């Protein structure tokens, strides 16, 4: 196996992991949105969450660590696809915003898990439970929508700018990234389900990286065969 083909397998495999990130994060968002409808509060539901809803949220929280791990691979996939020509300033913003997104996402998941544990243990102290639920719910929601998703917006915008300058992504994909980034910046905090645009964008980018990886590998194999044929014929 040539060094060129071997080198191309890393971004291709990481592109597949990017798809896994998109699926896991999208599934976690959907489960949380279904379990906790927009505007639900303690008094209306008779308690923080029903048993089925708590199980759904716990399942979603169990997906978050794996989504974050896969997202780190996705960062590597995009950088490998850009190559050595990447702008150092934008690359720093891109990587830094991605890492902060993962840290904030983990923080929101940890807060939500702690909130559920507190609610489970708070039956003996029902007087304080509503206040704890309101505080923890608002804190978790703010971490996710105000901070994590805006770091995701910076990540998408910087990646799209690099792609537009260097032509590493199709123009339509770079422009789609700008639209997604603006949505994450200004729309997500006030519109339910809008945060799904981020995993959808990651899914589209990962599919593009996979297809590009297959094409490069096929071209490298054809070049290798052509070189061997030339050597055998003495041309």
């Amino acid at each position: 196996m040539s060094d060129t083909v071997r080198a191309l397998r890393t971004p291709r495999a990481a592109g597949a992991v990017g798809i896994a990130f998109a699926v896991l994060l999208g599934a976690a968002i959907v489960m949380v949105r279904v379990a906790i409808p927009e505007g639900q509060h303690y008094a209306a539901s008779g308690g923080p969450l029903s048993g089925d809803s708590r199980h759904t949220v716990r399942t979603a929280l169990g997906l978050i660590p794996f989504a974050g791990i896969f997202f780190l691979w996705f960062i590597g996939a995009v950088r490998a696809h850009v190559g050595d020509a990447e702008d150092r300033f934008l690359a720093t913003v891109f990587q830094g915003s991605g890492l902060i997104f993962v840290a904030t996402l983990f923080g929101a998941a940890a807060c939500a898990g702690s909130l559920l544990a507190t609610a489970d243990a708070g039956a003996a102290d029902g007087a304080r439970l509503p206040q704890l639920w309101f505080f923890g719910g608002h804190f978790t929601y703010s971490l996710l929508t105000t901070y994590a998703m805006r770091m995701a917006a910076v990540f998408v915008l910087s990646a799209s700018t690099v792609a537009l300058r260097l032509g590493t992504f199709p123009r339509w994909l770079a422009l789609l990234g700008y639209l997604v980034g603006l949505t994450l910046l200004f729309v997500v905090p006030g519109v339910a389900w809008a945060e799904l645009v981020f995993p959808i964008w990651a899914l589209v980018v990962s599919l593009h990286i996979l297809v590009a990886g297959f094409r490069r590998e096929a071209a490298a194999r054809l070049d290798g065969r052509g070189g061997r044929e030339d050597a055998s014929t003495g041309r």
Side-chain angles (χ1 to χ4, degrees):
M1 181 183 298
S2 67
D3 292 338
T4 302
V5 174
R6 187 181 296 109
L8 291 173
R9 286 192 170 183
T10 299
R12 197 179 76 181
V17 180
I19 295 175
F21 156 73
V23 171
L24 288 175
L25 182 62
I29 291 173
V30 169
M31 283 189 285
V32 170
R33 283 295 184 184
V34 170
I36 310 176
E38 188 72 11
Q40 177 174 324
H41 54 84
Y42 181 90
S45 60
L49 283 176
S50 66
D52 291 340
S53 295
R54 290 191 193 188
H55 178 72
T56 301
V57 172
R58 286 194 180 95
T59 302
L61 294 178
L63 299 178
I64 294 297
F66 297 100
I69 293 170
F70 291 147
F71 183 74
L72 297 179
W73 281 84
F74 178 67
I75 294 176
V78 176
R79 293 197 66 186
H81 187 74
V82 171
D84 296 332
E86 66 180 2
D87 181 275
R88 290 186 177 181
F89 172 77
L90 289 174
T92 302
V93 175
F94 166 79
Q95 187 170 2
S97 60
L99 295 176
I100 296 174
F101 165 77
V102 172
T104 312
L105 182 66
F106 284 0
C111 288
S114 299
L115 182 60
L116 287 178
T118 302
D120 290 339
D125 191 9
R128 294 184 179 180
L129 192 56
Q131 290 84 351
L132 287 173
W133 183 256
F134 282 131
F135 170 79
H138 179 74
F139 186 66
T140 301
Y141 185 80
S142 296
L143 273 179
L144 181 62
T145 60
T146 303
Y147 298 98
M149 287 302 158
R150 282 175 174 164
M151 284 298 97
V154 176
F155 178 85
V156 174
L157 290 172
S158 57
S160 300
T161 301
V162 171
L164 196 61
R165 287 185 179 182
L166 301 180
T168 52
F169 291 162
R171 185 176 179 84
W172 67 266
L173 185 53
L175 295 178
L176 175 65
Y178 283 116
L179 179 60
V180 169
L182 292 175
T183 300
L184 293 171
L185 272 178
F186 301 111
V187 177
V188 165
V191 178
W193 300 93
E195 60 269 15
L196 281 174
V197 298
F198 182 48
I200 291 173
W201 174 84
L203 178 63
V204 174
V205 171
S206 298
L207 289 173
H208 169 74
I209 292 174
L210 271 177
V211 172
F214 279 118
R215 289 176 178 174
R216 290 178 186 175
E217 184 174 338
R221 287 177 177 173
L222 288 176
D223 291 342
R225 290 176 184 175
R228 288 195 296 271
E229 289 175 359
D230 290 343
S232 63
T233 57
R235 295 179 183 178

